[in-house]
Amino acid sequence: MNVWIQLLDTAGALLVLIGAAISLLGVIGMLRLPDVLSRSHAATKPQTLGMLLVLAGVALRLRTGMDLATLALIAFFQMLTGPVASHLVARSAYRTGQVDHGELLFDELDEQLTDGK
Amino acid sequence: MSRFPRFSFRDKDLPPLSCRVGRRGRVLDLPLIAWLTLIWVLLWSTFNLANIITGVIVAAAVCLAFPLPPVDLGLRLHPWGILRLAGYLLYDMYTSGVKVTRQIFAGMPHRAAVIGVPLRCRSDLMLAAVAVAVSNVPGGSVIEMRRATATVFLHVLDADRPEELEAARRQVWRLEELTVRAFGTADEIARVAEPPPPPQLTAGRPAP
Amino acid sequence: MSVFEQIDRVLLTAAIVLVLAAGLLLLVRIWRGPSMLDRAISLDVIAALIIAGLGAKSAVALDSFYFPIMLVLAFLGFTGSVGIARFIAVRDRPQAVTVIAPSPAAPPGAGGRSGDDAGSGSDAGSGPTKEDPK
């Protein structure tokens, strides 16, 4: 078999491994960070970067047109629907008072909401 | 109304790239049908004629059963802009991911803050696209979006240093410019080409 | 040539082990998570991890059998946490944060406002701001 194709396979496997490691780092961040909004920062990482790397690795190993299109569609929809959930979680965390306002350094949204009343 | 579909290059009353079918004159959006057909074919994961035909039929049936209001969203696709946006998003994901990882393992308590970044674009679709782009990077989580003043409110980690705050604002403005250049109409692009608005009075306020 | 395949197998097995470890750690967060919103975020991440794990598995087996499942997860993985954030999180509030100490960063109106929101039941979306454009 051709050496280059083998190298492509190995590069794909390496990308999958890097993506899995980044997902693990993000999950460790979700365990270590103190409050909901900080955790949502760490949660973005496995959702976008880790998953994109894994999908790119799979695409490098499979290499057929239909599979590439499906993988691109998976990545597209994941990046389209992830922010909806994270924004709603952040918004309702802020609005239901689960954010410790004393911990924040300053808060420009709070000033606007209080002024708007 | 005729029984045959009328396409928009014949009928000037219709919005572009659409056709009117049936006696009641339902308007079908052709790019939407193409997109739904593509998803249908990819779900079956084989590319043949039968899949395409059933996909078109199912997409048209869905569009007729659940009609959308015929509004112009203001979505224009610029291929070069989309490529630049994708490249910058990947780069930004990498750098912000490194930054967030460093903050995770730093162990020292950081002070977070909520900042408001005024945007320059005004249309709803562009605001939503900018919010999606900003929340896809690990450094920013969008808490609130104000449509009237086009301001996006972000939660940023590591707000102790003013240069980090300035970097976060510049990052949002850069993403906004690239997003509008990828998807926006001409006047939105012209609006984005101006320099960013001056910082608000509360920006960079010292710690209490 | 078989050396390459051995390397591939080792790398992909390590990737699957890492994804499994991430899922187990995330179960700890779901079990411990002080509020329902933490669990909602964890639910999102678990959907992403399932997609990544299925991707790693199909990279090992070199087939595309699981791709429609990944596609459906990418479509619908966010609905659960949206439901939690919209309807359940308003009822379930952790006890420690309900007493907001007045601080210079939070004017006295802040505590009262969040209390108002909690009082109005599941109506977290209606505030003094307009609806968000999504």
Side-chain angles (χ1 to χ4, degrees), chain A residues 41 45 79 95 105 108 111-112, chain B residues 101 112 116 136 139 144 155:
Chain A
H41 283 271
K45 212 160 29 152
M79 292 185 65
R95 298 244 167 171
L105 192 57
E108 293 176 359
E111 293 161 11
Q112 293 220 1
Chain B
T101 309
N136 264 324
E144 183 81 47
H155 180 264

Side-chain angles (χ1 to χ4, degrees), chain B residues 83-155:
Chain B
L83 276 183
R84 282 181 60 196
L85 175 68
Y88 185 75
L89 264 182
L90 284 180
Y91 163 75
D92 205 357
M93 273 179 203
Y94 172 70
T95 52
S96 308
V98 169
K99 203 187 290 176
V100 171
T101 309
R102 198 176 294 144
Q103 281 159 2
I104 288 169
F105 289 103
M108 46 187 273
H110 54 267
R111 300 290 301 270
V114 175
I115 61 171
V117 184
L119 297 181
R120 291 161 287 179
C121 55
R122 284 294 178 271
S123 77
D124 288 347
L125 182 74
M126 285 304 112
L127 288 178
V130 172
V132 165
V134 169
S135 9
N136 264 324
V137 226
S141 87
V142 178
I143 292 184
E144 183 81 47
M145 193 97 188
R146 282 225 164 165
R147 195 174 151 206
T149 57
T151 311
V152 55
F153 290 95
L154 293 178
H155 180 264

Side-chain angles (χ1 to χ4, degrees), chain C residues 2-86:
Chain C
S2 174
V3 181
F4 277 114
E5 287 170 6
Q6 291 289 329
I7 293 175
D8 287 2
R9 187 155 289 274
V10 168
L11 287 178
L12 290 174
T13 313
I16 290 179
V17 168
L18 285 186
V19 170
L20 279 179
L24 287 179
L25 286 178
L26 207 56
L27 282 184
V28 174
R29 170 50 72 199
I30 289 182
W31 176 53
R32 219 167 50 177
S35 69
M36 284 308 282
L37 288 174
D38 292 298
R39 299 190 176 106
I41 298 176
S42 309
L43 210 61
D44 275 347
V45 180
I46 276 210
L49 283 181
I50 291 174
I51 295 177
L54 285 180
K57 189 194 177 315
S58 48
V60 172
L62 286 180
D63 68 343
S64 59
F65 180 71
Y66 293 103
F67 281 7
I69 302 176
M70 291 157 72
L71 194 53
V72 170
L73 268 178
F75 279 147
L76 299 178
F78 74 107
T79 49
S81 72
V82 165
I84 290 178
R86 191 70 179 79

Side-chain angles (χ1 to χ4, degrees), chain B residues 50-64:
Chain B
N51 267 340
I52 295 176
I53 291 173
T54 50
V56 169
I57 291 172
V58 169
V62 166
C63 287
L64 284 179

Side-chain angles (χ1 to χ4, degrees), chain A residues 66, chain B residues 37 40-57:
Chain A
M66 213 59 204
Chain B
T37 308
W40 175 268
V41 171
L42 288 181
L43 276 174
W44 284 101
S45 67
T46 41
F47 186 80
N48 54 19
L49 195 59
N51 267 340
I52 295 176
I53 291 173
T54 50
V56 169
I57 291 172

Side-chain angles (χ1 to χ4, degrees), chain A residues 32-53:
Chain A
R32 282 180 62 105
L33 287 177
D35 62 329
V36 179
L37 288 176
S38 311
R39 278 179 208 140
S40 81
H41 283 271
T44 318
K45 212 160 29 152
Q47 279 180 342
T48 58
L49 190 55
M51 216 198 54
L52 279 185
L53 283 175

